[in-house]
Amino acid sequence: MNIKKSLGLDKNHEKPEEERKRLQLYINLKLASTGQPISHAGDDEFMTIASDLLKSYREKNRQLHNYQCPADKRIQKFLNKYLKDCGDQTPTLPSNTLILDRYGVARELSIPSVSDKFTSDIVSSYRIRQGVLHNPANDRRTTKGSFHITEGGLPIPGDKKAVPKVTF
């Protein structure tokens, strides 16, 4: 693995628009390979050419649908054990995930591809060279009383709210 490439330090930033188009094409390939809808910002001709390859890749993923990496197996085993007395509503970890394995993918996915800005009544977000800047409408610096912790594990601090395990 090339550490400079994974951190984005080997990039030539003289043509950021071309780099962004390549990144959007890469994201569309990743989305298409998992059967998700793709953005229309990519190269339609390339996606048409790659469609058979993507179908083959999706079939391999379908056959490995129930496979979990060792960390996910441990997490799922914990959830199953911890929530066994809550009925058959135990949550399961997703098996079809999108891995952010390249520099810039998270930044590109954080805001719709048609703009470098997203605003709502909760937050204003801007795509900048270093990443994404999020400006919340109400900046709360305290978390006192806002955490709910399920019973049945470690002792719960007095400033937190205890809830029954079934709430999880």
Side-chain angles (χ1 to χ4, degrees), residues 1 5-6 23 26 30 98-106:
M1 179 170 144
K5 184 176 182 180
S6 66
L23 192 57
Y26 178 74
K30 287 186 76 69
L98 185 67
I99 299 170
L100 307 179
D101 59 350
R102 185 178 281 191
Y103 173 81
V105 173

Side-chain angles (χ1 to χ4, degrees), residues 8 10-26 102-104 107-108:
D10 69 335
K11 302 289 180 186
N12 180 2
H13 295 290
E14 292 177 17
K15 298 179 182 178
E17 197 57 40
E18 287 182 20
E19 177 62 26
R20 187 165 179 224
K21 284 183 181 181
R22 281 194 297 275
L23 192 57
Q24 288 175 350
L25 179 59
Y26 178 74
R102 185 178 281 191
Y103 173 81
R107 180 181 67 172
E108 195 61 38

Side-chain angles (χ1 to χ4, degrees), residues 60-93:
K60 289 176 187 173
N61 280 347
R62 188 190 64 76
Q63 291 177 3
L64 294 171
H65 178 70
N66 292 326
Y67 173 78
Q68 287 182 320
C69 70
D72 285 354
K73 282 182 186 177
R74 288 190 299 272
I75 293 168
Q76 189 62 55
K77 185 177 177 182
F78 166 79
L79 289 174
N80 292 343
K81 182 179 175 184
Y82 185 70
L83 299 172
K84 67 181 174 195
D85 57 342
C86 293
D88 59 350
Q89 298 297 323
T90 303
T92 57
L93 296 176

